Amino acid sequence: MKEKIISKASELFLKLGFKSVTMDDIAGEMCISKKTIYKYFCNKEVLIVESTSMVHKQVHEIIDTIVAKNYNAIHENFEIREMFCDMFKNNIDSSPIYQLKKHYPEIYHNIMTTEIDLCSQWFRENIEKGIREKLYREDLNKEVYVKFYYTLIFHINENTVSEKEAQKMELEALEYHTRAMATPKGIIELEEQLKKITT
């Protein structure tokens, strides 16, 4: 039951926002009493912590699955972007990350501390792969580009209210990031990926 509550709460938080979803909403959606939820979670903040942990675990499992498909480095980045768009497609009004930072800053800070480490590792591996594939330039300062990219992406999500607007800006950031690193061969691959996107 605990896992079911976390799963339903995560779905509602991502769709409607962390602030607007109440314990009553979750109980109503699941056809259970609010007392049942409080049996497992003493308050909404604890449920948000558990829910965001589950979502982040799912996101990283999907990223690992995409990486395992062994696309080239640029294609891989676009596949991961597509995965995020699918995940948040039902929420075009308010960015979940923006809401979390605004209404639950302590939870947000704890998640982001872990998230920056995980994302930095993944961005670094992507850059190293792109260099091996001759899609990215060999003379890159990898650590600087990793920092540039996660600063851009997190800044967009923290400060953009609309999820739809955040996704548009993330695509621009991805193109900007890729063009800054790409070899002529990488630019050709980037243009191919951009052609596939239907916005």
Side-chain angles (χ1 to χ4, degrees):
M1 179 52 82
K2 185 180 179 182
E3 292 303 313
K4 284 179 182 173
I5 294 167
I6 294 170
S7 181
K8 178 51 73 178
S10 303
E11 182 192 314
L12 293 172
F13 288 145
L14 291 181
K15 189 176 177 181
L16 304 169
F18 291 97
K19 181 71 176 165
S20 49
V21 174
T22 65
M23 296 298 232
D24 283 317
D25 295 331
I26 298 162
E29 279 281 323
M30 295 185 72
C31 300
I32 59 173
S33 71
K34 202 160 63 166
K35 194 176 166 187
T36 305
I37 297 176
Y38 282 113
K39 186 175 150 188
Y40 299 99
F41 308 97
C42 59
N43 58 38
K44 185 178 165 183
E45 282 74 14
V46 172
L47 183 51
I48 289 173
V49 169
E50 294 268 6
S51 298
T52 49
S53 295
M54 190 191 87
V55 170
H56 281 271
K57 187 168 175 276
Q58 286 172 343
V59 164
H60 289 285
E61 282 169 2
I62 298 168
I63 288 175
D64 289 344
T65 305
I66 292 169
V67 170
K69 289 182 178 174
N70 210 22
Y71 297 116
N72 70 57
I74 294 172
H75 187 175
E76 180 178 279
N77 279 341
F78 276 82
E79 287 292 325
I80 289 168
R81 178 195 168 268
E82 190 61 33
M83 175 269 293
F84 278 111
C85 287
D86 283 347
M87 191 168 229
F88 298 119
K89 68 184 172 196
N90 293 324
N91 184 346
I92 54 169
D93 297 327
S94 182
S95 162
I97 295 174
Y98 176 86
Q99 279 206 9
L100 194 62
K101 185 188 178 193
K102 185 177 178 186
H103 301 294
Y104 302 96
E106 197 176 318
I107 297 171
Y108 172 82
H109 176 73
N110 292 339
I111 288 167
M112 284 300 125
T113 306
T114 315
E115 202 55 27
I116 283 173
D117 288 343
L118 287 165
C119 286
S120 297
Q121 182 190 337
W122 170 62
F123 293 157
R124 193 177 298 110
E125 286 167 4
N126 179 267
I127 291 171
E128 287 165 355
K129 183 181 187 180
I131 291 170
R132 287 194 304 272
E133 295 169 336
K134 304 202 181 314
L135 295 170
Y136 302 149
R137 292 177 289 109
E138 280 183 28
D139 61 345
L140 291 177
N141 182 330
K142 285 180 279 193
E143 293 312 309
V144 169
Y145 277 84
V146 166
K147 197 167 183 180
F148 278 169
Y149 193 47
Y150 80 63
T151 303
L152 256 179
I153 292 298
F154 287 125
H155 181 79
I156 289 166
N157 281 291
E158 286 176 3
N159 296 289
T160 312
V161 181
S162 158
E163 180 61 32
K164 193 174 184 181
E165 190 60 32
Q167 287 183 10
K168 276 170 65 180
M169 290 172 74
E170 281 171 11
L171 177 59
E172 294 287 343
L174 176 55
E175 182 180 352
Y176 177 79
H177 174 68
T178 309
R179 282 192 192 282
M181 299 191 296
T183 60
K185 180 184 172 186
I187 295 290
I188 292 166
E189 177 60 28
L190 171 63
E191 297 293 349
E192 284 301 309
Q193 292 302 324
L194 289 169
K195 275 183 210 164
K196 290 186 204 170
I197 292 172
T198 50
T199 47

